[in-house]
Amino acid sequence: MTRRIALSIFFFTLTLIGFGQRINTREEYIEKYAPLAVSEMIRTGVPASITLAQACLESGDGNSELSVKSNNHFGIKCKSSWRGKRVYHDDDAKGECFRKYRSVEASFVDHSDFLTLNSRYAGLFTLDLTDYKGWARGLKKAGYATNPHYANLLIKIIEDHKLFLYDEGLDKSQIARIQQSNQPVDGRNLINPYQARKVVLRNDLRSIVVKKGDTFQKIAQEFDLKEWEIYAYNDYQKGQQPQENEILYVEPKHRKAKKSHKTHRLESDDTMHFISQRYGVKLKRLYRLNRLKPGERPKVGSFVYLRKKKPRR
């Protein structure tokens, strides 16, 4: 979030007060959307504390003009891959394009998908679910926001409101008791119900992010699979090994992407295999959808079709 967004939140809040519209407090905002953040954590592996802290910061606790008018609670800009509705808002530059959502829930879901499907954030998913400081610093390093203090702002929100508790799998009554307590809580002493390896749903398929030292043999043993299954599920030849921070599936990929992902605009360093892994689509099927021979690559800037066959010229 930039200084300009912070100022716009301030002046828009004054406008709301002037028209008599009720302003959310941070505590109310967290209580309202914590279940949604936890649900997204279970679905994708993005810590609930990070989701809530970003939402508080980017949306001004749901009071910013962008969040009120467009349900955009994370300041996500359109980008080339966005096919939904758009709004234009002054940010780093005048009249920048931002995503518009039908509901706040849709904004939370898109935020999770934005992180899980973007290769620049892949390294975050190798961190422990409870490492909120690592996630906050990783988001800043990956370029989520231009504010040089972005990571520290997120960490302060998480620690001030004990949001790390939502990452620990505690139920609502346990969280409420600790939130109301004046005693400090050491999150490391709480029981972490999650395994060391996070399994994230992509295209409704179970996937992992490769850690340093991982091999196909090791991953196959961990998930009680045959080694050839890991190769087949991820369109690899026998003898190859995965790369650190790469997405791998532990079940067969689908023949098409989710409805929300119809096409992908090819960037300079994208490969067809990368796109296949990013969206959970079989590589051979991806070639057929785009009328390509195996090994061919579309031109940079062109669209790769993910659900329907590319129209003939």
Side-chain angles (χ1 to χ4, degrees), residues 38-55:
V38 171
S39 175
E40 283 301 292
M41 176 177 69
I42 294 170
R43 182 177 75 90
T44 65
V46 178
S49 63
I50 287 292
T51 297
L52 285 170
Q54 283 195 280

Side-chain angles (χ1 to χ4, degrees), residues 137-195:
R137 291 164 183 156
L139 284 168
K140 175 62 186 76
K141 185 177 180 180
Y144 190 97
T146 57
N147 189 327
H149 306 294
Y150 192 74
N152 291 333
L153 291 171
L154 293 181
I155 292 169
K156 187 175 190 310
I157 292 172
I158 290 170
E159 294 181 343
D160 284 352
H161 298 275
K162 299 177 183 176
L163 300 184
F164 50 79
L165 296 176
Y166 292 105
D167 303 334
E168 299 289 348
L170 302 182
D171 62 35
K172 190 173 182 179
S173 62
Q174 290 173 308
I175 292 172
R177 286 199 300 272
I178 297 173
Q179 294 281 24
Q180 293 167 7
S181 169
N182 291 323
Q183 296 181 356
V185 177
D186 182 357
R188 291 172 298 178
N189 293 331
L190 301 173
I191 296 174
N192 183 356
Y194 300 90
Q195 298 177 348

Side-chain angles (χ1 to χ4, degrees), residues 105-124:
E105 290 76 12
S107 177
F108 272 69
V109 169
D110 188 54
H111 167 260
S112 301
D113 289 345
F114 181 77
L115 295 181
T116 58
L117 294 174
N118 195 321
S119 59
R120 72 163 69 175
Y121 302 114
L124 294 174

Side-chain angles (χ1 to χ4, degrees), residues 32 39 52 73 84 95 110 116 128 132 138 140 201 204 214 240 250 258 280 285 292 311:
K32 184 174 182 178
S39 175
L52 285 170
H73 283 232
D110 188 54
T116 58
D128 290 338
Y132 63 87
K140 175 62 186 76
L201 287 180
D204 296 324
D214 275 345
Q240 292 180 301
V250 293
K258 296 182 73 170
R285 177 63 178 170
L292 296 170

Side-chain angles (χ1 to χ4, degrees), residues 43-246:
R43 182 177 75 90
T44 65
V46 178
S49 63
I50 287 292
T51 297
L52 285 170
Q54 283 195 280
C56 288
L57 184 59
E58 297 285 355
S59 75
D61 307 314
N63 297 312
S64 72
E65 182 177 3
L66 190 63
S67 60
V68 171
K69 292 185 176 181
S70 309
N71 287 321
N72 188 330
H73 283 232
F74 295 91
I76 299 179
K77 296 177 182 179
C78 295
K79 306 293 183 183
S80 60
S81 60
W82 179 244
R83 296 292 174 269
K85 293 184 178 179
R86 302 160 179 247
V87 293
Y88 295 89
H89 186 78
D90 293 350
D91 187 37
D92 294 321
K94 188 175 179 61
E96 290 193 86
C97 182
F98 285 85
R99 302 182 182 189
K100 182 177 182 180
Y101 305 98
R102 66 183 182 280
S103 65
V104 177
E105 290 76 12
S107 177
F108 272 69
V109 169
D110 188 54
H111 167 260
S112 301
D113 289 345
F114 181 77
L115 295 181
T116 58
L117 294 174
N118 195 321
S119 59
R120 72 163 69 175
Y121 302 114
L124 294 174
F125 292 89
T126 65
L127 300 174
D128 290 338
L129 195 65
T130 53
D131 184 9
Y132 63 87
K133 291 183 180 179
W135 273 81
R137 291 164 183 156
L139 284 168
K140 175 62 186 76
K141 185 177 180 180
Y144 190 97
T146 57
N147 189 327
H149 306 294
Y150 192 74
N152 291 333
L153 291 171
L154 293 181
I155 292 169
K156 187 175 190 310
I157 292 172
I158 290 170
E159 294 181 343
D160 284 352
H161 298 275
K162 299 177 183 176
L163 300 184
F164 50 79
L165 296 176
Y166 292 105
D167 303 334
E168 299 289 348
L170 302 182
D171 62 35
K172 190 173 182 179
S173 62
Q174 290 173 308
I175 292 172
R177 286 199 300 272
I178 297 173
Q179 294 281 24
Q180 293 167 7
S181 169
N182 291 323
Q183 296 181 356
V185 177
D186 182 357
R188 291 172 298 178
N189 293 331
L190 301 173
I191 296 174
N192 183 356
Y194 300 90
Q195 298 177 348
R197 172 89 67 179
K198 291 194 292 291
V199 178
V200 177
L201 287 180
R202 292 182 173 87
N203 199 12
D204 296 324
L205 298 167
R206 291 178 299 142
S207 72
I208 62 171
V209 174
V210 177
K211 297 180 179 180
K212 186 176 181 179
D214 275 345
T215 64
F216 282 131
Q217 297 90 332
K218 178 181 176 181
I219 294 168
Q221 290 174 358
E222 185 176 337
F223 287 91
D224 195 24
L225 295 170
K226 294 181 175 60
E227 192 176 332
W228 69 263
E229 290 178 302
I230 291 291
Y231 286 118
Y233 296 165
N234 294 281
D235 295 298
Y236 270 110
Q237 299 296 319
K238 186 175 181 179
Q240 292 180 301
Q241 290 299 340
Q243 302 297 313
E244 187 177 355
N245 296 334
E246 181 183 6

